[in-house]
Structures are given as structure tokens and as C-alpha cells.
Amino acid sequence: MDQEARPLIENLKLAPLGSPHPQSPMDCYQGELNGVKITVVTNGSCARFGVANVGTTPASLTAYLAITSLKPDIVINAGTAGGFQAKGGVVGDVYISTTLAHHDRRIPIPGFTEYGVGTHTSVACPKLVEFLGCKTGVVSTGNSLDHTPKDDELMLANDASVKEMEGAAIAWVAEMLSTPFFAIKVITDIVDGDM
């Protein structure tokens, strides 16, 4: 979401790039840091409802358009997420993904069950984890901000440390397009807590 990206865009002094696909609502910002070109891409806003585009559908479309037009060396999905007390998560923790999976694509047909979960391995970045002093874990993706008992069961089966709404969809696109990928998530709430 733009609200999540705004501090990064402002801190890195990235300039609006415009969308390489005018029919897409995605927003792009670009700049350079220490000789490295950085592009931040958001899903933009929904013209119909006037809210940020969120969830797996806008994320996968934006990822596909961004990767095919901008040809990045690596894709990093950065944002906020829910953490789990049971995994030692607390508000303010920063996680880097090891694996990403879905917890709301339930397709109980032989062969499709595993496809529905759709696990994707992140590119390993141990030096970044060490430098930042952050945690690592499985990012579990679903299209709902809330969670049902079945979601809870599947997030547990995914060994989730993080619950969010786009990572596995972006990982699927990055995998399909042979582009290295990982997610970095800051915990803003506790999924298995009392709030």
C-alpha cells in the first residue's frame, strides 16, 4: 500500500516514475542509492472504491507488470503484517521470509491441495538477516485481514511466523519469471493475541 511505501519513498528521495502500463493503477517511484537503482512499486488505488488496492490479485498483476517492464535484479516485498506469539513474535519485529505459502486457497482435490498452498522458497540472505538483526520465518498469505478457524489451522500447518496479504502471490510471479525474491515484514499486530 502507498501508506506502507511512503516513508521509504520519502527517505530515499525517490521521484515519481509513472506507470509503465498506463491502464494499470500501479505507481512507480525511482532513484539511486550508493550506485544502485531502486524502484518502489505500489498497487495504486482502486478507481471504483477509492481505496488502496490490496490482496493477491492486485499484487500478482503489479508484480508481473513491474518485473516484465522494469526487469529488476531482485524483487523485495516490503510491508506490514501480523505476527504470532506462539512463534515468539512481538509488535515491532522485522522478519525476512524463508518460504511463502497461502492459507486461504483451499482446493481439496488430489494434486490441487498442494497447489493451493503453493509454497515458494525465498532467496537466502543471511548477511542481511545478520546485519539487521531480524528474525526469519514462513510468510503465510491470504486475502482477508481477519482469519477464520480454518485459516488458523492452515497457518499453523504452514508453520507461519507472519500473516499478510500479498507475499505468496508476488513470490509466485517472481518464480514464474525466474526473478530472485524475498519478503521483509514488520509486525504491527499479533494474530494469536487478544487484540
Side-chain angles (χ1 to χ4, degrees):
M1 291 182 3
D2 184 66
Q3 294 89 334
E4 292 171 304
R6 184 63 39 206
L8 183 63
I9 293 164
E10 291 172 358
N11 188 46
L12 295 177
K13 297 177 178 48
L14 303 180
L17 179 64
S19 174
H21 299 276
Q23 294 171 321
S24 163
M26 68 191 248
D27 293 319
C28 300
Y29 304 85
Q30 199 168 69
E32 200 171 292
L33 179 66
N34 298 328
V36 176
K37 182 166 65 170
I38 298 173
T39 306
V40 172
V41 180
T42 67
N43 295 328
S45 296
C46 176
R48 182 174 173 200
F49 294 103
V51 298
N53 286 314
V54 297
T56 59
T57 301
S60 58
L61 174 63
T62 298
Y64 182 82
L65 294 174
I67 293 170
T68 57
S69 62
L70 301 171
K71 311 231 182 296
D73 293 325
I74 189 165
V75 171
I76 303 169
N77 170 228
T80 59
F84 293 84
Q85 269 181 328
K87 301 290 279 184
V90 297
V91 171
D93 277 349
V94 178
Y95 279 86
I96 291 182
S97 62
T98 55
T99 306
L100 297 100
H102 293 273
H103 61 261
D104 69 349
R105 292 190 342 172
R106 297 181 281 277
I107 313 170
I109 300 171
F112 283 87
T113 301
E114 296 78 12
Y115 165 78
V117 173
T119 57
H120 308 279
T121 303
S122 296
V123 65
C125 39
K127 289 183 180 183
L128 180 61
V129 170
E130 182 182 347
F131 178 77
L132 295 176
C134 60
K135 298 179 177 182
T136 62
V138 176
V139 173
S140 194
T141 300
N143 277 300
S144 297
L145 192 59
D146 64 359
H147 49 100
T148 67
K150 187 64 175 177
D151 292 330
D152 293 338
E153 176 187 322
L154 293 172
M155 287 186 287
L156 183 62
N158 286 346
D159 193 30
S161 293
V162 174
K163 174 198 179 290
E164 50 80 89
M165 298 176 66
E166 68 277 328
I170 298 169
W172 176 75
V173 173
E175 182 180 288
M176 179 178 65
L177 297 174
S178 301
T179 304
F181 170 87
F182 71 91
I184 184 166
K185 301 290 178 170
V186 177
I187 303 306
T188 56
D189 62 277
I190 301 300
V191 177
D192 56 350
D194 57 2
M195 293 177 57

